[in-house]
Amino acid sequence: MVRYRTRFIDMELNKQLDLGIRQVLILGAGFDSRSTRFARHGVNFFEVDKMELLNFKQQCLETNHFKQTFIPVAANYLEDGFFEKLRSAGFNLLEPTFIIWEGNTMYLPREAISLFLRTLENSLPSFRIVFDYISSGVVTRTTGFPSITAIANAFAAMGSPWVCGFENIKGLTQAFKLALTDAMPMADLRAKWEPTKPAADIYRVYSICSLRRLNPATE
């Protein structure tokens, strides 16, 4: 399922770059390698994470003779002052931006997600954002699939519990100036890309979506 979300985001990023996007923001970037794999002249990749992780990532790239192709932003994107830190790093708040929010939402309280989306739409006049999410039944252990409950329990046991899920992602967007441009469960991506691969239960309750900010002046 991680391969499916990676491929989906890669395709969306490549499409946006072809359409002229020149600013990419990766939230909770971790060891994301897209700034290297999709490096283009004139495109800035801003990666947000802990300073220790960003420094280690830079060292890994240098050790293996890769040029650093991202701009590090040591920050917690949920905290006040985040966009000021972005701007200090050279981020242009007025530039159309493609935002990658991969592998984050299931670990965040719903209130934090809503507040962040509200701050995002109030701070950036033009952006698209892609993120993955689980269904709320995974969090409440009510999917009816023992294998899914086992996975959720395993993450909790590791100290990384899944705390937020969504049944209707379109309902979330209606509270904001956001339009849903794409949304699908991993089961659909599996059927499309690997139709002969066995369908795991988790594919039914794990999805990915793409949203864009509406322009109130024209929509």
Side-chain angles (χ1 to χ4, degrees):
M1 64 186 185
V2 175
R3 291 187 297 112
Y4 297 153
R5 84 182 187 198
T6 297
R7 181 174 177 179
F8 180 95
I9 295 172
D10 283 357
M11 292 174 65
E12 187 67 17
L13 171 60
N14 200 49
K15 180 171 68 176
Q16 294 305 314
L17 292 173
D18 287 344
L19 290 173
I21 284 288
R22 291 296 174 263
Q23 187 165 260
V24 180
L25 175 61
I26 306 179
L27 302 169
F31 294 105
D32 191 297
S33 64
R34 292 185 177 91
S35 68
T36 299
R37 294 190 290 115
F38 291 93
R40 295 194 188 188
H41 178 71
V43 177
N44 290 320
F45 286 80
F46 292 85
E47 296 197 2
V48 180
D49 215 307
K50 295 180 180 180
M51 177 62 78
E52 295 85 354
L53 190 147
L54 294 171
N55 286 340
F56 180 67
K57 184 174 180 177
Q58 292 178 40
Q59 293 169 11
C60 289
L61 290 170
E62 292 171 2
T63 299
N64 291 279
H65 310 293
F66 283 99
K67 179 181 178 182
Q68 180 182 317
T69 50
F70 66 91
I71 299 170
V73 182
N76 182 338
Y77 60 80
L78 296 178
E79 293 181 350
D80 292 340
F82 168 62
F83 287 94
E84 284 302 316
K85 289 184 179 180
L86 269 183
R87 186 156 55 182
S88 296
F91 187 90
N92 185 348
L93 298 178
L94 300 180
E95 178 78 16
T97 303
F98 182 66
I99 303 171
I100 298 172
W101 199 15
E102 183 178 10
N104 278 235
T105 63
M106 58 285 296
Y107 301 104
L108 303 175
R110 183 182 291 261
E111 298 77 16
I113 293 173
S114 295
L115 180 59
F116 176 69
L117 288 175
R118 181 69 69 197
T119 305
L120 196 62
E121 70 173 11
N122 289 337
S123 303
L124 304 181
S126 178
F127 68 85
R128 287 178 178 265
I129 183 168
V130 59
F131 63 88
D132 52 323
Y133 61 96
I134 57 177
S135 76
S136 56
V138 178
V139 176
T140 58
R141 313 296 199 270
T142 56
T143 64
F145 296 102
S147 62
I148 296 175
T149 298
I151 294 173
N153 289 340
F155 272 84
M158 289 188 292
S160 300
W162 292 341
V163 299
C164 182
F166 300 95
E167 289 307 320
N168 179 12
I169 202 66
K170 190 172 183 178
L172 174 70
T173 65
Q174 290 172 346
F176 305 96
K177 303 184 187 76
L178 300 172
L180 185 65
T181 56
D182 221 340
M184 60 186 67
M186 295 300 162
D188 289 358
L189 295 179
R190 181 209 61 81
K192 178 180 179 180
W193 293 332
E194 293 187 302
T196 61
K197 183 180 177 66
D201 294 333
I202 190 69
Y203 295 167
R204 310 182 190 194
V205 294
Y206 182 48
S207 304
I208 194 160
C209 69
S210 176
L211 315 175
R212 65 181 176 88
R213 189 190 191 283
L214 293 172
N215 183 346
T218 59
E219 301 184 62

